[in-house]
PDB file of all heavy atoms in Angstrom:
ATOM      1  N   LYS V 701     102.463 111.465  45.120  1.00 90.00           N
ATOM      2  CA  LYS V 701     101.488 112.501  45.066  1.00 90.00           C
ATOM      3  C   LYS V 701     100.078 111.956  45.334  1.00 90.00           C
ATOM      4  O   LYS V 701      99.717 110.897  44.790  1.00 90.00           O
ATOM      5  CB  LYS V 701     101.512 113.184  43.697  1.00 90.00           C
ATOM      6  CG  LYS V 701     100.887 114.582  43.718  1.00 90.00           C
ATOM      7  CD  LYS V 701     101.316 115.340  42.423  1.00 90.00           C
ATOM      8  CE  LYS V 701     101.015 116.828  42.569  1.00 90.00           C
ATOM      9  NZ  LYS V 701     101.453 117.584  41.378  1.00 90.00           N
ATOM     10  N   GLY V 702      99.327 112.659  46.119  1.00 90.00           N
ATOM     11  CA  GLY V 702      97.985 112.191  46.476  1.00 90.00           C
ATOM     12  C   GLY V 702      97.986 111.052  47.453  1.00 90.00           C
ATOM     13  O   GLY V 702      96.994 110.403  47.680  1.00 90.00           O
ATOM     14  N   GLY V 703      99.212 110.812  48.040  1.00 94.00           N
ATOM     15  CA  GLY V 703      99.313 109.697  48.965  1.00 94.00           C
ATOM     16  C   GLY V 703      98.937 110.119  50.357  1.00 94.00           C
ATOM     17  O   GLY V 703      98.374 111.201  50.610  1.00 94.00           O
ATOM     18  N   GLY V 704      99.229 109.220  51.345  1.00 95.00           N
ATOM     19  CA  GLY V 704      98.876 109.532  52.757  1.00 95.00           C
ATOM     20  C   GLY V 704      98.520 108.231  53.460  1.00 95.00           C
ATOM     21  O   GLY V 704      98.810 107.171  52.999  1.00 95.00           O
ATOM     22  N   TYR V 705      97.906 108.428  54.642  1.00 97.00           N
ATOM     23  CA  TYR V 705      97.534 107.246  55.459  1.00 97.00           C
ATOM     24  C   TYR V 705      96.027 107.088  55.453  1.00 97.00           C
ATOM     25  O   TYR V 705      95.278 108.034  55.351  1.00 97.00           O
ATOM     26  CB  TYR V 705      98.027 107.448  56.853  1.00 97.00           C
ATOM     27  CG  TYR V 705      99.493 107.181  57.047  1.00 97.00           C
ATOM     28  CD1 TYR V 705     100.410 108.254  57.073  1.00 97.00           C
ATOM     29  CD2 TYR V 705      99.975 105.894  57.226  1.00 97.00           C
ATOM     30  CE1 TYR V 705     101.722 108.037  57.265  1.00 97.00           C
ATOM     31  CE2 TYR V 705     101.341 105.684  57.383  1.00 97.00           C
ATOM     32  CZ  TYR V 705     102.207 106.760  57.413  1.00 97.00           C
ATOM     33  OH  TYR V 705     103.569 106.517  57.568  1.00 97.00           O
ATOM     34  N   TYR V 706      95.601 105.870  55.635  1.00 96.00           N
ATOM     35  CA  TYR V 706      94.132 105.568  55.734  1.00 96.00           C
ATOM     36  C   TYR V 706      93.905 104.396  56.604  1.00 96.00           C
ATOM     37  O   TYR V 706      94.777 103.513  56.758  1.00 96.00           O
ATOM     38  CB  TYR V 706      93.561 105.356  54.324  1.00 96.00           C
ATOM     39  CG  TYR V 706      94.330 104.297  53.538  1.00 96.00           C
ATOM     40  CD1 TYR V 706      93.987 102.941  53.576  1.00 96.00           C
ATOM     41  CD2 TYR V 706      95.410 104.666  52.716  1.00 96.00           C
ATOM     42  CE1 TYR V 706      94.688 101.971  52.869  1.00 96.00           C
ATOM     43  CE2 TYR V 706      96.152 103.685  51.986  1.00 96.00           C
ATOM     44  CZ  TYR V 706      95.788 102.369  52.115  1.00 96.00           C
ATOM     45  OH  TYR V 706      96.478 101.430  51.422  1.00 96.00           O
ATOM     46  N   LEU V 707      92.724 104.335  57.199  1.00 97.00           N
ATOM     47  CA  LEU V 707      92.367 103.226  58.066  1.00 97.00           C
ATOM     48  C   LEU V 707      92.184 101.939  57.268  1.00 97.00           C
ATOM     49  O   LEU V 707      91.624 101.978  56.177  1.00 97.00           O
ATOM     50  CB  LEU V 707      91.076 103.549  58.800  1.00 97.00           C
ATOM     51  CG  LEU V 707      91.191 104.432  60.006  1.00 97.00           C
ATOM     52  CD1 LEU V 707      89.837 104.687  60.569  1.00 97.00           C
ATOM     53  CD2 LEU V 707      92.077 103.818  61.087  1.00 97.00           C
ATOM     54  N   LEU V 708      92.611 100.828  57.826  1.00 96.00           N
ATOM     55  CA  LEU V 708      92.426  99.539  57.116  1.00 96.00           C
ATOM     56  C   LEU V 708      91.123  98.897  57.499  1.00 96.00           C
ATOM     57  O   LEU V 708      90.620  98.024  56.796  1.00 96.00           O
ATOM     58  CB  LEU V 708      93.603  98.574  57.450  1.00 96.00           C
ATOM     59  CG  LEU V 708      94.922  98.893  56.754  1.00 96.00           C
ATOM     60  CD1 LEU V 708      96.002  97.968  57.193  1.00 96.00           C
ATOM     61  CD2 LEU V 708      94.719  98.780  55.235  1.00 96.00           C
ATOM     62  N   LYS V 709      90.554  99.260  58.616  1.00 95.00           N
ATOM     63  CA  LYS V 709      89.353  98.626  59.100  1.00 95.00           C
ATOM     64  C   LYS V 709      88.229  99.691  59.384  1.00 95.00           C
ATOM     65  O   LYS V 709      88.520 100.871  59.464  1.00 95.00           O
ATOM     66  CB  LYS V 709      89.578  97.837  60.390  1.00 95.00           C
ATOM     67  CG  LYS V 709      90.357  96.536  60.142  1.00 95.00           C
ATOM     68  CD  LYS V 709      90.218  95.576  61.340  1.00 95.00           C
ATOM     69  CE  LYS V 709      91.392  95.789  62.277  1.00 95.00           C
ATOM     70  NZ  LYS V 709      91.372  94.843  63.401  1.00 95.00           N
TER      71      LYS V 709
END
Side-chain angles (χ1 to χ4, degrees):
Chain V
K701 202 166 194 174
Y705 284 97
Y706 52 90
L707 280 176
L708 284 176
K709 286 196 268 183

